[in-house]
Amino acid sequence: MKVYSAEFLTGAVSAKQYPKVSHPEFAFAGQSNVGKSSLLKSLLNRKKLVRTSSTPGKTQEINFFEINEKLIFTDLPGYGFARVPASVQRKWQSMIEQYVLKRKSLTALIFIVDLRRDPTQLDLELKHWLDANAIRYILVATKSDKLSAGERSKQVRKIKQAFCTEEDSDKLVVYSSKNNLGRKELWSQITKLANQQNALTNAEENQER
């Protein structure tokens, strides 16, 4: 299995701290304890990633990683962690909204939900906000290995009903960081969108010449 290089670039709390790079960029977002760090490590086939925490709610910056000198992955603070004060949650929300709405190189958001759980109000609010602002996202349901085949099918139906239309129901990626189920499918979607973004960037650069 291919191992990807992942160089930590910077942690940022405001736009002026974002790295000045032009690679297609993918941001990873989800509720705290949804398995975001495990997903990133599985996706990159790495046992460790810098700047990740074993304690939910500890990530307080937007962490930028350069992947194989071709992509940028950003790790966004998890939302909905009970032990984080409301004032900190509001600060994170403002920071994330500024990033998602203003970051020109953002190609798509990897929207992570826990397959074991019914869709939460916070998840649905994020979905509606992304849709309202025309932000492209890839929906990933993690921890599929924790469920039996029957339970998995039941939860997949629930998540599709809550998040997907009939036209895009096939775009849900069911993922397991333990056995890498869904890894190939997620990379396929990321690569497709990255290629589209590169083609668009090249076309814009050619027009400016």
Side-chain angles (χ1 to χ4, degrees), residues 63-190:
N63 290 320
F64 292 80
F65 299 87
E66 185 177 51
I67 311 302
N68 282 18
E69 299 182 347
K70 293 181 179 180
L71 301 171
I72 300 295
F73 281 1
T74 59
D75 184 8
L76 302 180
Y79 54 89
F81 187 58
R83 279 183 273 167
V84 174
S87 59
V88 175
Q89 286 282 5
R90 288 193 295 270
K91 179 181 176 182
W92 290 0
Q93 181 178 351
S94 175
M95 178 173 65
I96 293 169
E97 286 182 359
Q98 180 188 49
Y99 165 76
V100 172
L101 295 177
K102 305 288 185 175
R103 184 67 166 166
K104 290 184 178 180
S105 55
L106 179 62
T107 304
L109 187 131
I110 311 300
F111 184 176
I112 309 164
V113 297
D114 188 333
L115 185 61
R116 302 172 302 169
R117 313 296 180 206
D118 290 349
T120 69
Q121 186 61 35
L122 286 172
D123 288 331
L124 293 172
E125 286 175 2
L126 177 56
K127 171 200 162 22
H128 295 321
W129 184 81
L130 293 171
D131 289 342
N133 288 283
I135 305 298
R136 179 191 290 122
Y137 59 88
I138 301 171
L139 186 64
V140 180
T142 58
K143 305 188 180 184
S144 65
D145 55 279
K146 306 288 187 182
L147 299 175
S148 67
E151 292 171 330
R152 188 161 56 242
S153 296
K154 178 182 176 182
Q155 288 303 109
V156 165
R157 284 196 300 272
K158 284 185 179 181
I159 289 174
K160 285 185 175 182
Q161 287 173 358
F163 292 97
C164 304
T165 64
E166 290 186 10
E167 291 76 17
D168 63 6
S169 63
D170 61 330
K171 293 182 180 178
L172 170 67
V173 179
V174 177
Y175 205 98
S176 167
S177 298
K178 184 175 181 179
N179 58 32
N180 294 317
L181 174 72
R183 184 177 187 270
K184 181 180 178 181
E185 291 79 4
L186 183 51
W187 265 120
S188 176
Q189 291 202 41
I190 289 172

